Amino acid sequence: WDAPPRDAANAGIRPAADADGLLELDRRAFGGPREGLLRRILGEPGSSCQVLYRDGRAAGYLIAREGKLGPGCAPDAAAVGGLVRAAASGAAAGTRLQVPAGGRYLDPLLAAGLRERRRLTHMRLGDQVLPGERGLLLAQISYSAG
């Protein structure tokens, strides 16, 4: 993230009170349970989470921590800019976001003001199909934790 966002307002996006509303959404996108990981991240000092609600249900989220955005997922490209602006509203220049391999949101992330710094290739032996709806993932927490 190169500069503070100009406008963090976006209809339907508000801070998460806790991880409960995110768990099923994250399980669907990631393809496995990460309740312990999400609760641990949200419990870190300075951690916050912005959630996009549609029809009264969580449809996307993005966690912000010191110097990092992620994990998170978005229902579509139209939601990406609002989630990034809301999550990064207090972020310093140099804040990072790790885009998952095969993610569909690189162009909207670039349009939201992020810059691509480098690409890392993942090596894998065997079946290339990962569980879940991985295209919905907006950001990873790390390359090892997803």
Side-chain angles (χ1 to χ4, degrees), residues 6 81 85 106-114:
R6 290 184 295 278
R85 284 189 301 276
L106 181 58
D107 288 338
L109 287 167
L110 294 171
L114 285 98

Side-chain angles (χ1 to χ4, degrees), residues 25-114:
L25 174 63
D26 185 76
R27 179 188 298 257
R28 182 173 59 99
F30 184 73
R34 299 195 296 177
E35 178 177 352
L37 177 65
L38 291 177
R39 289 188 189 283
R40 183 180 58 86
I41 294 167
L42 289 171
E44 291 176 358
S47 178
S48 65
C49 181
Q50 297 294 320
V51 180
L52 168 66
Y53 291 92
R54 288 186 179 162
D55 300 322
R57 297 181 51 178
Y61 76 93
L62 185 56
I63 295 175
R65 301 175 297 133
E66 187 177 326
K68 300 175 187 150
L69 295 177
C73 65
D76 50 49
V80 170
L83 283 167
V84 168
R85 284 189 301 276
S89 64
T95 296
R96 297 175 306 169
L97 181 144
Q98 294 178 345
V99 179
R104 61 174 87 147
Y105 298 131
L106 181 58
D107 288 338
L109 287 167
L110 294 171
L114 285 98

